[in-house]
Amino acid sequence: MLGFLNLHKPTGMTSHDCVGKVRRICGLKRVGHGGTLDPLATGVLPIALGPVTRLLPYLPEQKAYQATIRFGITTTTDDLAGDILSQQAAEHLTKEAIEATLPKFLGSIEQRPPAYSAIQVQGQRLYDLARQGKDVTAPLRTVEVFDIQVLDWQVGEHAELEVAIACGPGTYIRSIARDLGEVLGTGATLSQLTRTLSCGFALPDSLTFETLEDQVQAGTFTPLEPSFSLQQPILHLPSAEAQRFCWGQKLPQDRGNGMMQVHDTCDHFLGMGEIIDGLLKPKVVLPPAS
């Protein structure tokens, strides 16, 4: 079993929990995921099966989310999993006022990750430090937010805004919710989050654990091809050179520098290689299909 699984992560499980469950269902030791989702979040969690875990760094980085932001509340975790820090009425907010503020969160922006996050400070995860009661401020990071679209608006004491967000890697939607509430003067927290796109995998094509287990037991589960979502240029090698690539040997090439998907002339995916100054260096070589 070698390839990718587009898993629909359920709420209440960590990404690590999901990897462990996939190991048990598929009977595999080597399983990895392509991007952490918080326990309360749902949606796309790319899973690599077998040696394909080595391809995770080469997958597309853009992500997309559908999020609900609740105004008038702030929490320790910047979502509903945390303790409430403050509450105030937010029924005076209008959709128009929020839409006028959203451009502040587009483009290349400085963002402070939540206190409860996997960011490391002095060799320790922020969530570990927070659970120890240590007051550590997360360092600012530059992230990319490509688009924010308003999907729904619910007026009320704790008004809620539903948005679709397209962003680059490392972007915390919890931080966007928190900072939007701060700009508007009411405070806000994330009340719901679904990842709709990650590493080239889309939510409509994802499998639940129940469907995965049914397919594995029926013998009908087929992992997605290792090259399914790769976007690097393809380099086809004749059989002799393909063999040398699989042996880990460098090969002369007259193409420009850059990462390549390496295929044989029958279009079988062999792995990833990088051309540097006229030489193709194997970076990831997959075992031959059985």
Side-chain angles (χ1 to χ4, degrees), residues 83-99:
D83 297 329
I84 293 176
L85 294 174
S86 67
Q87 292 192 69
Q88 62 177 292
E91 65 263 13
H92 64 282
L93 284 180
T94 65
K95 178 183 175 184
E96 291 72 24
I98 294 173
E99 287 178 327

Side-chain angles (χ1 to χ4, degrees), residues 159-174:
E160 288 195 334
L161 179 76
E162 186 178 346
V163 291
I165 299 177
C167 58
T171 306
Y172 277 92
I173 309 303
R174 285 184 285 152

Side-chain angles (χ1 to χ4, degrees), residues 38-272:
D38 294 328
L40 289 186
T42 64
V44 174
L45 182 64
I47 298 287
L49 306 173
V52 171
T53 52
R54 298 175 60 201
L55 291 177
L56 288 171
Y58 302 98
L59 299 182
E61 294 186 322
Q62 185 169 338
K63 296 176 174 25
Y65 298 87
Q66 188 167 316
T68 303
I69 299 170
R70 184 173 298 177
F71 294 92
I73 297 176
T74 63
T75 69
T76 54
T77 59
D78 300 323
D79 65 11
L80 292 183
D83 297 329
I84 293 176
L85 294 174
S86 67
Q87 292 192 69
Q88 62 177 292
E91 65 263 13
H92 64 282
L93 284 180
T94 65
K95 178 183 175 184
E96 291 72 24
I98 294 173
E99 287 178 327
T101 305
L102 291 179
K104 295 178 181 292
F105 298 91
L106 290 173
S108 180
I109 64 172
E110 293 253 288
Q111 183 183 80
R112 193 178 303 281
Y116 284 79
S117 62
I119 302 299
Q120 289 198 6
V121 175
Q122 297 177 351
Q124 294 191 66
R125 302 286 187 186
L126 280 177
Y127 53 66
D128 289 331
L129 295 170
R131 288 165 185 158
Q132 295 168 24
K134 296 181 179 179
D135 187 13
V136 178
T137 301
L140 287 171
R141 306 197 307 172
T142 301
V143 298
E144 290 283 342
V145 179
F146 305 115
D147 190 39
I148 303 178
Q149 294 291 329
V150 174
L151 303 177
D152 194 23
W153 168 242
Q154 298 291 330
V155 179
E157 181 180 1
H158 296 305
E160 288 195 334
L161 179 76
E162 186 178 346
V163 291
I165 299 177
C167 58
T171 306
Y172 277 92
I173 309 303
R174 285 184 285 152
S175 294
I176 291 178
R178 177 199 66 212
D179 295 345
L180 179 60
E182 184 175 326
V183 170
L184 292 167
T186 63
T189 195
L190 188 68
S191 64
Q192 183 275 334
L193 183 67
T194 297
R195 188 156 64 190
T196 56
L197 177 73
S198 179
C199 300
F201 300 92
L203 185 62
D205 304 319
S206 61
L207 296 182
T208 64
F209 275 120
E210 292 75 18
T211 300
L212 172 65
E213 195 158 15
D214 289 344
Q215 291 185 3
V216 169
Q217 290 179 355
T220 59
F221 173 65
T222 302
L224 297 168
E225 292 290 331
S227 60
F228 173 78
S229 67
L230 295 173
Q231 297 180 345
Q232 294 82 1
I234 295 176
L235 174 64
H236 289 98
L237 297 180
S239 57
E241 291 188 0
Q243 184 65 71
R244 290 176 59 194
F245 175 85
C246 293
W247 288 339
Q249 296 180 7
K250 296 179 182 179
L251 300 169
Q253 290 292 322
D254 57 4
R255 299 177 64 160
N257 291 349
M259 295 299 306
M260 297 282 173
Q261 298 182 53
V262 181
H263 294 236
D264 63 18
T265 51
C266 296
D267 212 27
H268 296 134
F269 177 68
L270 305 177
M272 298 297 298

